[in-house]
Amino acid sequence: MNERLLAQMVLVERLSKSHPAWNSISSELKSSLAGAGGEQRTLSLLKRELILPGETIILTDLSIPNGSGYAQVDLLVVNQKLVCVLEVKNMKGDFYFDSENFQFHRMVDGRPEGMKSPESQLHRAVKATERFLGIPVAGVIVLASRSGRVVEGPKNYPAVSLDYLPFYLESLVGGRKLVDEQKLAAKVRALPKRSFDQNLLERYGLRIDSLRLGVTCPRCRNSALSRKNRKWHCGGGGGSFHDAHEVTLQEYAVLFGAELPTSFAYRLLGVEDKHLLYRLLEKSALRGNERGRRWIVPRRELLEAYFGSIWR
């Protein structure tokens, strides 16, 4: 799960359903989950069935420098004889590409829906990757859903069904070695990870006070836990837990960054006792040189496990 997906999950759970932004963020989350599902199926299929000479490295969820910004790359296939950007679309409906104007729409149940052009997104990603790596890069639009059908196809890049993708990539391999796949993959992996930006929060005018604070019960999902006898207890009958606050700290870090003011940590975790707070933060949010500040130790696997049980 990338940080934007995790942030959307946190907001959907922490924001009241009566908030004006909840429906829009929930809709965005569903779209993000569909996209992530398509990318995961694509990755799994390539690992099982793609046969290229030598070693093949598949990199996911990349942000490639592009002028003053970044181009998003869903998957990058790196082989000594082929480097290819995959733009994965997990959509249903009939697809219409306008390659002259880089426009796109789909028909779902007889209704047209205009969307960002996958061809335009792929072109941007391919050109940014070529400039960054200094080599020719191929590009493919991957149709991950069997409920999608191309009526008017793109002219500049192929649109390939997921089932056929391994065979199509194998057909692109030429006769000579283009790159050292290990060195190229290392160059891409060395790119700094882009942290979740504040665009989503700013777009909906959300602040920390917009959210429900406290440590959430991982069973009933809507009760704030209380701390007693070294455990977190759910007043709604969800049970008791040892380290439920760890997830809350990670949720805060995804939305607002790793820096946590100690004065706010009381409200975030719903505790009042100073000594209890320090015990809870001792290993999870470390002290720095600046008084009154802690830095949350990143453990995103906690969020993936927490939300993965719901959003399968």
Side-chain angles (χ1 to χ4, degrees):
M1 298 181 187
N2 60 41
E3 288 205 359
R4 178 165 292 276
L5 182 58
L6 288 173
Q8 290 169 337
M9 290 177 174
V10 174
L11 290 176
V12 165
E13 181 161 296
R14 292 271 178 179
L15 198 63
S16 169
K17 290 185 178 181
S18 63
H19 193 283
W22 190 89
N23 285 331
S24 296
I25 297 173
S26 178
S27 178
E28 285 191 30
L29 172 58
K30 291 177 181 177
S31 297
S32 297
L33 286 168
E39 291 167 22
Q40 185 57 51
R41 290 199 300 278
T42 302
L43 179 61
S44 298
L45 178 68
L46 293 181
K47 286 182 175 180
R48 288 196 316 270
E49 298 189 11
L50 181 61
I51 302 174
L52 298 178
E55 182 180 7
T56 298
I57 301 169
I58 304 175
L59 305 173
T60 63
D61 191 28
L62 305 173
S63 296
I64 306 295
N66 186 39
S68 60
Y70 293 86
Q72 186 68 29
V73 172
D74 293 337
L75 291 95
L76 182 67
V77 177
V78 179
N79 180 268
Q80 60 182 335
K81 295 187 176 182
L82 171 70
V83 178
C84 185
V85 172
L86 306 183
E87 178 71 27
V88 181
K89 293 301 175 188
N90 189 25
M91 303 183 297
K92 66 178 182 178
D94 293 339
F95 306 146
Y96 296 81
F97 291 83
D98 178 354
S99 296
E100 291 185 4
N101 300 303
F102 280 106
Q103 294 180 336
F104 172 81
H105 76 274
R106 64 173 177 167
M107 297 290 292
V108 181
D109 299 327
R111 293 177 289 103
E113 294 183 7
M115 305 176 69
K116 287 184 178 179
S117 168
E119 191 175 18
S120 177
Q121 292 174 298
L122 177 60
H123 185 71
R124 185 169 182 264
V126 166
K127 292 307 175 185
T129 306
E130 284 184 335
R131 285 190 292 268
F132 177 70
L133 297 177
I135 58 171
V137 173
V140 180
I141 299 167
V142 181
L143 305 177
S145 172
R146 291 191 177 94
S147 299
R149 182 173 71 102
V150 176
V151 179
E152 293 181 9
K155 294 184 172 60
N156 299 299
Y157 294 94
V160 177
S161 68
L162 178 57
D163 293 336
Y164 185 69
L165 179 63
F167 307 106
Y168 181 80
L169 292 178
E170 290 164 10
S171 74
L172 297 181
V173 173
R176 64 187 183 90
K177 181 176 179 178
L178 296 176
V179 297
D180 182 317
E181 65 275 11
Q182 289 289 350
K183 289 183 179 178
L184 189 148
K187 181 176 181 179
V188 175
R189 287 180 176 131
L191 284 169
K193 288 290 184 182
R194 295 187 67 207
S195 60
F196 168 71
D197 57 27
Q198 301 296 309
N199 288 344
L200 185 62
L201 300 173
E202 292 173 358
R203 185 159 24 111
Y204 292 108
L206 300 176
R207 301 182 304 277
I208 188 66
D209 289 334
S210 306
L211 309 179
R212 172 180 52 78
L213 301 180
V215 179
T216 302
C217 175
R219 289 206 182 111
C220 70
R221 316 293 301 190
N222 56 18
S223 293
L225 301 175
S226 59
R227 186 77 176 183
K228 184 179 179 181
N229 298 328
R230 296 183 176 274
K231 288 185 179 181
W232 293 100
H233 298 270
C234 176
S240 60
F241 312 89
H242 286 285
D243 300 316
H245 64 285
E246 299 277 9
V247 170
T248 301
L249 293 171
Q250 296 302 316
E251 289 178 316
Y252 177 90
V254 163
L255 291 178
F256 302 102
E259 183 178 342
L260 174 65
T262 306
S263 58
F264 183 75
Y266 289 99
R267 289 182 59 201
L268 179 66
L269 300 182
V271 299
E272 298 179 357
D273 183 82
K274 178 176 71 173
H275 301 292
L276 170 58
L277 180 68
Y278 284 8
R279 285 199 302 272
L280 294 174
L281 299 181
E282 183 178 9
K283 296 180 180 179
S284 304
L286 305 180
R287 295 184 185 185
N289 295 327
E290 187 176 352
R291 184 178 177 84
R293 292 284 186 275
R294 296 269 185 156
W295 278 263
I296 298 169
V297 178
R299 294 188 61 194
R300 297 300 153 80
E301 70 275 8
L302 295 179
L303 290 185
E304 292 180 0
Y306 179 77
F307 287 113
S309 62
I310 314 169
W311 305 100
R312 294 181 185 273

